Amino acid sequence: MKLSEASHARQEKHPERILQFGTGVLLRGLCDFLIDKANKDGFFKGSAVVVKSMPGGIEVFNAQDNLYTVCVRGIKSGENISKNVVCETISRVLAASTQWEEILKTAENPDMDVVISNTTEVGLKYVKETLDGVPTSFPGKLTAWLQRRFNAGLPGVIIIPTELVVDNGDVLKDLILRQIEDQNLCSEFKNWIENETNFCNSLVDRIVPGKPAKDELQEIYKELGYEDQLLTKSEVYALWAIQGNEDVKKRLSFEQADERVVVEKDITQYRELKLRMLNAPHTLMCGLCFLADFETVKEALNNDIIEKFISNLMLTELAPAVSSKVDPKVVQRYGREIIDRFRNPYLDHKWHSITFQYTMKIQMRTIPLLTRYYEVFGNVPHYFARGMAAYLLFMKAVKEENGQYFGEHNGESYILNDDQAAWYFEAWKCGDAKELAKKALSNTDFWGMDLCTLEGFEDAVATHLCNMNMLGVKEVVSALNVFA
């Protein structure tokens, strides 16, 4: 039996109040999950129309009547948690490429009050384009949707981007205003955007690795009594922090249903902790652990050498470099909690999946910590440097097929899901690790600065990269722990 409304009747059908850009597991496993809880508890009472911008993937939603299961697994206060929730938040999934007019018509719905997005950090970029037809970029699509709503004479909405970009709401608003200026749209529309539409900075924090491996998935299907092609696992911990005033807080009534949804005037602390103490170590460790032959996060954390490495990276190098606006004691406590979350025995979070848009993640999530570390200590952070060296080695593209680039490890190919893969394919042709390190670290387009200007950093990264090439990544990590 497959999951559908025939096998699982919805508790209640709610009016469409949310437009959501993105079908990924984080939105479904956190935001939609929490809204589903609020709906079932009698708060908010709204469903979401979801926009699918990438090709494919609509059919599975249609086949399951937009229902899916979130399997929450983990340990909380010493207690094992195992909970399965069928989420009913999504009403429809529409493909931007073929159903754009239908998507625009949702703007004319007076009930629409909230826009949510997670298009990854790459989505919050400006693309000069026309708004005729289907815009290619997320800001272009949103501008067209907002213009349709403005032309319908309806009030503004609350927009909550969840992309991992500092002040993501402010960034998105600036991108929309730039679209309005470049398209020579009317000043009344611009005023409506500035005065009636709320762009909220936000932060989402939950590890949602997605669908389990085949054997485990079959066991879960037996437990559930049905099959679910959209099933995803998540950890117990969850946080959705939204920056907003009292009016925003009142309109986002789903906040009342769960303490894990927070609407506050300032979310700096939540953002800094998650970005710098969860995402930064994930980013610095993903290539390193993958090349050290660990497939999943929990597998790596069960290794004494890796556990010591990541603990030292987080607590001795990253934690002291977090913004001074956050209490250092809070940072240290959060860091220790993160290590426990990484070690969650119920989640199979693959390191390779974390390497998606690796270069951009290094720039956005870790470089501010690197420069801050130099401001505080004035010397090389050695754990960070090894993470950077492993990134450069992981990005050693050795072949190209149909526009995709591949690295090689232990005689097997792996895909480089990174916009800079072509650059590395050419750069690594030099065959010299030190030359490659200099080229990459000095690339200001990648990092926003020349990392070779940080005293000792280039030499440290180049040395570690050479050693990883000759000896292996695991051996280099082990040597650091011996002498740490």
Side-chain angles (χ1 to χ4, degrees):
M1 181 171 65
K2 298 184 183 297
L3 178 62
S4 67
E5 288 189 8
S7 65
H8 185 97
R10 291 176 183 263
Q11 291 189 16
E12 186 178 352
K13 293 190 177 181
H14 300 288
E16 293 176 341
R17 296 186 58 193
I18 301 167
L19 181 71
Q20 176 174 305
F21 287 86
T23 60
V25 294
L26 182 59
L27 282 177
R28 291 193 289 113
L30 177 60
C31 301
D32 295 338
F33 175 89
L34 291 170
I35 292 168
D36 177 75
K37 182 178 184 298
N39 285 337
K40 290 171 180 174
D41 289 348
F43 299 95
F44 192 68
K45 297 186 177 182
S47 64
V49 179
V50 177
V51 177
K52 184 82 164 60
S53 295
M54 303 299 288
I58 298 292
E59 296 77 12
V60 66
F61 284 93
N62 292 338
Q64 297 188 181
D65 298 318
N66 302 301
L67 300 174
Y68 64 93
T69 310
V70 176
C71 301
V72 182
R73 301 288 188 272
I75 300 171
K76 183 178 182 181
S77 302
E79 178 186 357
N80 285 325
I81 304 296
S82 179
K83 184 179 181 181
N84 305 311
V85 178
V86 175
C87 287
E88 305 173 5
T89 302
I90 299 174
S91 61
R92 293 183 286 163
V93 179
L94 302 176
S97 59
T98 59
Q99 298 173 290
W100 183 236
E101 179 58 30
E102 196 170 345
I103 292 168
L104 289 177
K105 283 182 179 178
T106 65
E108 300 171 357
N109 176 1
D111 290 329
M112 278 288 175
D113 198 30
V114 180
V115 176
I116 302 170
S117 69
N118 194 311
T119 58
T120 77
E121 291 94 323
V122 174
L124 294 191
K125 301 290 184 184
Y126 182 75
V127 176
K128 190 174 180 61
E129 58 183 334
T130 175
L131 298 186
D132 296 331
V134 185
T136 58
S137 70
F138 163 55
K141 289 182 177 72
L142 182 56
T143 302
W145 188 88
L146 290 168
Q147 184 184 31
R148 176 69 70 94
R149 187 169 182 84
F150 167 76
N151 290 338
L154 293 170
V157 294
I158 298 172
I159 299 173
I160 314 171
T162 65
E163 291 82 359
L164 196 58
V165 173
V166 175
D167 296 330
N168 45 21
D170 297 336
V171 170
L172 181 55
K173 181 177 182 179
D174 288 344
L175 291 170
I176 299 297
L177 291 174
R178 186 174 174 185
Q179 287 282 355
I180 291 172
E181 181 178 347
D182 281 0
Q183 302 292 330
N184 293 316
L185 303 180
C186 68
S187 59
E188 291 81 6
F189 177 43
K190 180 181 179 182
N191 291 336
W192 182 84
I193 290 291
E194 292 182 320
N195 299 315
E196 290 195 39
T197 303
N198 289 283
F199 290 81
C200 299
N201 299 324
S202 81
L203 183 282
V204 286
D205 189 355
R206 191 177 216 184
I207 297 172
V208 187
K211 188 187 293 187
K214 185 176 181 180
D215 289 345
E216 183 185 1
L217 184 62
Q218 293 304 315
E219 288 299 316
I220 293 177
Y221 284 169
K222 289 180 183 178
E223 177 186 345
L224 296 174
Y226 59 79
E227 294 184 2
D228 178 358
Q229 296 302 310
L230 294 168
L231 181 147
T232 186
K233 287 178 72 177
S234 80
E235 66 172 332
V236 177
Y237 182 90
L239 173 68
W240 188 7
I242 303 166
Q243 188 166 301
N245 55 29
E246 286 302 316
D247 178 60
V248 168
K249 187 181 182 74
K250 182 178 179 181
R251 289 165 65 184
L252 299 180
S253 56
F254 52 78
E255 184 221 18
Q256 303 171 45
D258 199 300
E259 62 181 7
R260 295 173 293 183
V261 184
V262 177
V263 181
E264 295 183 1
K265 292 181 180 179
D266 187 353
I267 63 168
T268 300
Q269 175 169 299
Y270 301 111
R271 184 193 67 222
E272 284 297 303
L273 286 174
K274 197 258 184 172
L275 184 62
R276 309 307 180 198
M277 294 300 289
L278 187 151
N279 296 110
H282 252 173
T283 300
L284 286 168
M285 293 297 295
C286 60
L288 185 148
C289 287
F290 178 85
L291 295 175
D293 302 319
F294 296 103
E295 183 180 6
T296 65
V297 176
K298 71 176 180 183
E299 182 185 356
L301 266 292
N302 284 329
N303 179 277
D304 291 341
I305 293 172
I306 296 295
E307 181 186 31
K308 184 176 181 182
F309 185 98
I310 195 169
S311 295
N312 287 335
L313 169 69
M314 291 175 63
L315 301 179
T316 69
E317 292 186 353
L318 302 186
V322 172
S323 171
S324 58
K325 295 179 180 179
V326 184
D327 186 338
K329 292 180 181 178
V330 173
V331 176
Q332 289 285 331
R333 183 170 64 248
Y334 184 81
R336 293 187 182 93
E337 291 174 352
I338 288 296
I339 293 171
D340 286 338
R341 290 169 62 189
F342 285 172
R343 199 186 283 113
N344 188 334
Y346 300 100
L347 298 185
D348 292 315
H349 199 183
K350 290 181 170 56
W351 287 113
H352 185 268
S353 68
I354 302 172
T355 65
F356 180 77
Q357 296 296 358
Y358 202 169
T359 305
M360 177 202 61
K361 288 177 178 177
I362 289 279
Q363 191 273 323
M364 302 283 296
R365 302 176 180 185
T366 76
I367 299 305
L369 285 167
L370 176 63
T371 55
R372 170 75 174 160
Y373 186 91
Y374 266 90
E375 289 173 7
V376 175
F377 298 104
N379 54 34
V380 178
H382 288 286
Y383 294 94
F384 191 114
R386 275 170 170 79
M388 196 72 177
Y391 151 75
L392 295 177
L393 185 58
F394 180 89
M395 293 298 296
K396 187 175 182 178
V398 297
K399 66 177 180 179
E400 181 267 335
E401 292 180 359
N402 301 319
Q404 291 188 317
Y405 293 85
F406 297 84
E408 186 175 287
H409 179 61
N410 291 339
E412 295 186 3
S413 296
Y414 60 86
I415 192 168
L416 297 174
N417 290 310
D418 191 301
D419 288 346
Q420 306 307 331
W423 187 92
Y424 277 100
F425 182 63
E426 295 299 323
W428 265 109
K429 287 180 179 178
C430 70
D432 182 84
K434 288 192 174 183
E435 182 181 340
L436 182 281
K438 184 175 184 64
K439 283 183 180 178
L441 297 178
S442 63
N443 191 325
T444 56
D445 290 338
F446 288 177
W447 323 118
M449 65 175 294
D450 182 352
L451 299 183
C452 295
T453 62
L454 300 174
E455 186 176 355
F457 190 67
E458 177 192 345
D459 289 340
V461 172
T463 299
H464 301 328
L465 181 56
C466 289
N467 289 337
M468 288 176 178
N469 246 335
M470 292 186 296
L471 304 174
V473 172
K474 189 178 293 184
E475 288 71 18
V476 173
V477 172
S478 300
L480 180 63
N481 278 325
V482 169
F483 298 107

